[in-house]
Amino acid sequence: MAINLEKGQRVNVNLPKFVVGLGWDDNSSSTGQDFDLDASVFIIGENRKLLTDEYFVFYNNLKSPDGAVEHTGDNLTGAGDGDDESIKVDLSKINPKAMEICIVVTIHQAEERRQNFGQIRNSFVRIYNPDNGEELLKYELEEDFSVETAVEFGRIYKRNGEWKFEAVGVGQKGGLEDYLNKYN
């Protein structure tokens, strides 16, 4: 049974392999344009910065150099059921210098399209076991982020040799570039 996360909640990640899924329903009626949500991952070291630029995994860089994080591709509309974008994570392959994996969801061209999470139907981020499909964690995005255009969903971090997950749940009126500036 999945844990429906609340901001600040922490849980152990007891799987070496898992998938981060992002989903939303297509809904262009409020702005006249489709919503394009993007899942991105920043793999950062002790200094709270990217290990290198190649450790920023998103729709234009689908795989980290160590092979531990792989984005399965960009969905531009949210059409269809279930996850619209997925990021596969294998902690057994992660660079030993990695201390944290930050998961961010942004709305592509949010400012130009005048869009925010409050306008999107059924948006969520979840973490599940790829071997059996069991959902471990889920976070509903529109509930807490009605005017935001970017959300730091959570972070997977290493503490005493174990990986843990923290629901960060911090939204902002910005985009992917703001997170790049933060972690680069």
Side-chain angles (χ1 to χ4, degrees):
M1 186 169 108
I3 297 172
N4 285 320
L5 293 174
E6 294 181 20
K7 185 175 175 177
Q9 189 172 354
R10 290 184 169 101
V11 294
N12 285 335
V13 177
N14 295 322
L15 289 175
K17 294 181 183 181
F18 54 89
V19 177
V20 177
L22 166 64
W24 70 98
D25 288 341
D26 53 335
N27 177 23
S28 61
S29 61
S30 62
T31 66
Q33 297 185 46
D34 288 329
F35 286 87
D36 178 5
L37 273 60
D38 293 314
S40 304
V41 169
F42 296 85
I43 303 169
I44 55 183
E46 284 185 26
N47 62 355
R48 302 266 310 137
K49 299 292 181 188
L50 281 169
L51 295 178
T52 65
D53 288 348
E54 293 77 23
Y55 282 91
F56 167 43
V57 179
F58 70 118
Y59 55 84
N60 277 337
N61 178 39
L62 297 177
K63 198 168 192 176
S64 62
D66 55 15
V69 177
E70 181 181 353
H71 195 298
T72 61
D74 194 12
N75 180 316
L76 303 178
T77 65
D81 293 332
D83 296 343
D84 296 306
E85 290 192 13
S86 297
I87 298 175
K88 299 175 187 177
V89 179
D90 184 349
L91 294 174
S92 70
K93 295 180 179 179
I94 196 98
N95 183 318
K97 294 181 180 176
M99 299 305 290
E100 187 174 321
I101 300 168
C102 178
I103 304 163
V104 171
V105 179
T106 54
I107 301 172
H108 186 67
Q109 295 182 331
E111 188 175 333
E112 295 91 334
R113 296 178 180 184
R114 294 185 204 95
Q115 296 175 339
N116 60 56
F117 278 106
Q119 300 166 319
I120 301 170
R121 292 181 303 132
N122 304 321
S123 60
F124 65 87
V125 177
R126 69 187 188 118
I127 293 177
Y128 67 93
N129 181 337
D131 295 332
N132 61 15
E134 179 187 3
E135 191 173 88
L136 307 170
L137 313 168
K138 188 170 186 176
Y139 201 68
E140 305 285 339
L141 296 174
E142 71 266 12
E143 294 296 317
D144 296 327
F145 308 107
S146 60
V147 298
E148 284 84 355
T149 57
V151 177
E152 187 171 340
F153 159 66
R155 65 187 194 107
I156 299 159
Y157 63 97
K158 193 189 294 187
R159 177 80 29 93
N160 299 324
E162 291 185 352
W163 288 95
K164 300 178 183 294
F165 179 85
E166 178 184 13
V168 175
V170 174
Q172 66 178 18
K173 293 180 184 178
L176 205 47
E177 188 173 338
D178 294 331
Y179 287 107
L180 271 173
N181 292 335
K182 177 179 179 180
Y183 292 119
N184 210 355

